[in-house]
Amino acid sequence: MKKKLQIPLIIAACLSVFCLGFLLAGMTIPRSFDSLPQKCGIMPPVQSSKSIGIVHEGTYPGFADTPVTAEQAAPGRRVLYALNQQKYTWAFPLLRPRDGGIAIYEMTGCSPEYIAYWDGKYLWVPKDFEGPWTGYAPTSPKELDEALRTAK
């Protein structure tokens, strides 16, 4: 009876080690901001102390009668540039965002769509419209923090 179970148990152990390797590889691969899941949230995950709005040139956010100019869109482009300059790895799943961070939203229509939240250490992106947020660790948190704190 022992010999009959030994081979399937060895196969199951090898498969579990193989699957665990794929899971860890997926968690440690550095990704750019554009390759992170691009969902929009209705609200930031926790209370933020600052919000940064991103508007695109030529659009009419909210109930605006005039399109956004290049000067008005420049701060949002700088924020997106700062986010895209970093590489991100998946943060430990049991971590939660801290209060007092920076909420980053995009104005595409009448209401803002939150695309990210920076808590000073991790960048959080929404998994779903009203669902949980996933944390990612940037390669240089100090540079990203400085760029987001100085954005107007």
Side-chain angles (χ1 to χ4, degrees):
M1 186 73 169
K2 270 188 173 180
K3 290 194 182 226
K4 287 183 182 181
L5 287 177
Q6 195 173 23
I7 293 175
L9 285 176
I10 290 173
I11 291 172
C14 290
L15 282 175
S16 64
V17 168
F18 185 71
C19 291
L20 182 63
F22 269 119
L23 177 67
L24 291 176
M27 289 175 65
T28 58
I29 292 174
R31 298 180 173 112
S32 66
F33 181 72
D34 289 335
S35 67
L36 297 179
Q38 297 293 321
K39 303 279 184 172
C40 296
I42 192 166
M43 293 291 293
V46 292
Q47 186 67 32
S48 61
S49 64
K50 180 181 176 182
S51 292
I52 299 174
I54 297 172
V55 292
H56 299 284
E57 186 177 350
T59 61
Y60 295 83
F63 294 107
D65 293 331
T66 57
V68 174
T69 63
E71 294 86 26
Q72 293 169 326
R77 281 196 307 270
R78 284 193 296 272
V79 168
L80 286 175
Y81 179 76
L83 290 172
N84 283 318
Q85 288 301 305
Q86 299 288 322
K87 295 290 182 190
Y88 301 92
T89 54
W90 197 27
F92 188 66
L94 298 178
L95 295 175
R96 297 287 168 239
R98 296 180 294 183
D99 285 335
I102 300 171
I104 303 166
Y105 65 91
E106 190 170 28
M107 287 295 292
T108 55
C110 294
S111 60
E113 295 177 341
Y114 289 89
I115 59 170
Y117 176 80
W118 172 249
D119 69 358
K121 189 172 183 180
Y122 298 107
L123 184 74
W124 298 86
V125 294
K127 276 186 174 178
D128 200 0
F129 192 63
E130 292 182 17
W133 291 57
T134 305
Y136 293 92
T139 51
S140 178
K142 289 181 182 179
E143 287 179 16
L144 183 59
D145 189 55
E146 183 181 328
L148 294 177
R149 298 240 181 250
T150 57
K152 300 284 180 193

